[in-house]
Amino acid sequence: MGLAKEEDANHLTDKVSDAIARVEREATNETTVPGPSPNPATNLLIHEIVLRSAGRLTRNTLEKALLGRKYGSQFAKDAVENRSIVHTLAAYGVTKYATKSVPGALIVGMGLLGKTLFDRSQSRRKARRQGEKRIRGQADGDTLA
């Protein structure tokens, strides 16, 4: 993996990060990655860990809040923290696929829309019971997938 040139940027994230970097370079006339270490690779690792940690904390907090409104805070905590490794890896993989390209986002979006329509085609009570059963199993730690 080499460094991409600014004119090779395909994704919106590439264009935005290149623009930010260009403005910062012009403002500071520096070519190093800012951070506590003189080693740019170490600084990049520190930034990645901080960003991923903040994202995970935010995601877990929002998930607990959304579940907690209906099921209570202790149940929500158990459900979020007892996810299986298969569930976690599947969610990570689908998210990674969806964010890599526009076709990936469309495929994942269509899959989510299809699942929503399928759930709505069932009776509301049956769909609600199945969802609640799955979440309760997850909160109890009884899930394998």
Side-chain angles (χ1 to χ4, degrees), residues 128-145:
R128 189 173 298 129
R129 272 196 315 269
Q130 285 177 342
E132 287 181 358
K133 181 179 176 184
R134 178 134 177 121
I135 289 176
R136 290 194 190 286
Q138 189 171 313
D140 294 338
D142 295 338
T143 58
L144 295 176

Side-chain angles (χ1 to χ4, degrees), residues 6 13-27:
E6 289 181 26
T13 56
D14 295 334
K15 292 176 183 175
V16 171
S17 66
D18 289 345
I20 292 170
R22 187 174 44 254
V23 168
E24 287 180 358
R25 270 195 314 268
E26 291 170 359

Side-chain angles (χ1 to χ4, degrees), residues 7-113:
E7 55 270 11
D8 293 339
N10 297 353
H11 297 98
L12 177 63
T13 56
D14 295 334
K15 292 176 183 175
V16 171
S17 66
D18 289 345
I20 292 170
R22 187 174 44 254
V23 168
E24 287 180 358
R25 270 195 314 268
E26 291 170 359
T28 62
N29 289 328
E30 289 187 28
T31 58
T32 60
V33 176
S37 173
N39 183 334
T42 302
N43 289 334
L44 190 59
L45 179 64
I46 291 168
H47 294 158
E48 182 176 1
I49 291 169
V50 169
L51 286 172
R52 288 185 187 272
S53 298
R56 182 180 174 116
L57 287 171
T58 302
R59 184 177 58 251
N60 284 345
T61 301
L62 288 173
E63 289 172 348
K64 288 176 187 178
L66 291 171
L67 284 174
R69 290 182 65 184
K70 179 169 181 167
Y71 299 104
S73 60
Q74 186 58 45
F75 177 86
K77 179 181 179 204
D78 293 341
V80 170
E81 293 177 0
N82 287 333
R83 260 186 247 158
S84 70
I85 192 74
V86 173
H87 181 273
T88 302
L89 289 175
Y92 175 79
V94 169
T95 303
K96 191 78 165 175
Y97 184 72
T99 58
K100 286 278 188 185
S101 65
V102 173
L106 290 173
I107 290 169
V108 170
M110 293 302 291
L112 294 173
L113 178 64

